[in-house]
Amino acid sequence: MSRVLPAGKRPRLVTAAAVLGLLSPLAACSSASTAVEACMGKQATSATPGELEGTYVGEADAKGVTITLKASDKGTGGTVTVRHWPTGSWYKSELGDTFDGSGTWDVVGGTGSDAYGQVHLSFTEPERFLQDDTLDSLSIAEDGERVYLYEDDDPDVCPKFRLRPT
């Protein structure tokens, strides 16, 4: 015979099981792949310039940012145009000064079992940036319908600097 206890008198084991049930989706986000998948889709091991070509707008920390990738007829990339792109190595902790500019881009496929595809940016306007002067490498994710670009800075959480296709 089972006995129903009042809500305030439920055994601690039942309460602990309920809490664990609520936290289990959070435990699933502990790997880089799962955290990215929760926001944008699977991390891509590679992509072609044709798949990446288009305009992307920022979400979360990248709100207001726009990047347009145009594929060239040859090679692994093409030309890039950005609006409100972050400057300085501090962009990782907060967005501040931004610039509008252009340059070139290349797509690099992952090499190794845990490597993923990336878009490498090289700015020529307004001036050439040195390494760490601006965000110049973006990872690629896809959800089956769309391709996303993002900064892969913390594998345990949804990327804060991410761009979705328009």
Side-chain angles (χ1 to χ4, degrees):
M1 179 168 160
S2 69
R3 188 176 92 176
V4 177
L5 296 173
K9 301 289 185 181
R10 291 191 179 144
R12 290 183 185 176
L13 183 58
V14 173
T15 304
V19 169
L20 287 174
L22 290 172
L23 293 177
S24 64
L26 296 177
C29 290
S30 64
S31 74
S33 179
T34 304
V36 170
E37 286 177 21
C39 300
M40 301 171 291
K42 288 189 160 237
Q43 289 178 295
T45 55
S46 65
T48 66
E51 291 171 326
L52 296 173
E53 184 173 47
T55 299
Y56 299 78
V57 294
E59 295 181 340
D61 284 356
K63 190 171 182 153
V65 173
T66 304
I67 184 171
T68 301
L69 303 175
K70 291 185 181 177
S72 69
D73 293 338
K74 49 192 164 201
T76 60
T79 59
V80 61
T81 305
V82 296
R83 291 191 34 81
H84 306 293
W85 201 256
T87 62
S89 59
W90 52 265
Y91 71 84
K92 293 181 180 181
S93 61
E94 65 181 60
L95 291 177
D97 290 339
T98 62
F99 71 95
D100 297 344
S102 60
T104 60
W105 65 280
D106 290 310
V107 61
V108 179
T111 56
S113 62
D114 62 346
Y116 299 99
Q118 292 189 327
V119 172
H120 290 240
L121 307 172
S122 178
F123 294 104
T124 54
E125 293 294 330
E127 61 186 46
R128 182 171 285 287
F129 286 88
L130 299 173
Q131 186 175 5
D132 291 331
D133 284 346
T134 189
L135 179 59
D136 59 5
S137 183
L138 298 167
S139 294
I140 306 164
E142 54 191 348
D143 70 359
E145 295 178 23
R146 292 177 290 254
V147 175
Y148 296 85
L149 303 175
Y150 65 98
E151 181 188 19
D152 193 9
D153 60 344
D154 184 347
D156 294 327
V157 297
C158 181
K160 294 178 184 171
F161 190 96
R162 60 184 186 266
L163 302 136
R164 65 173 168 74
T166 57

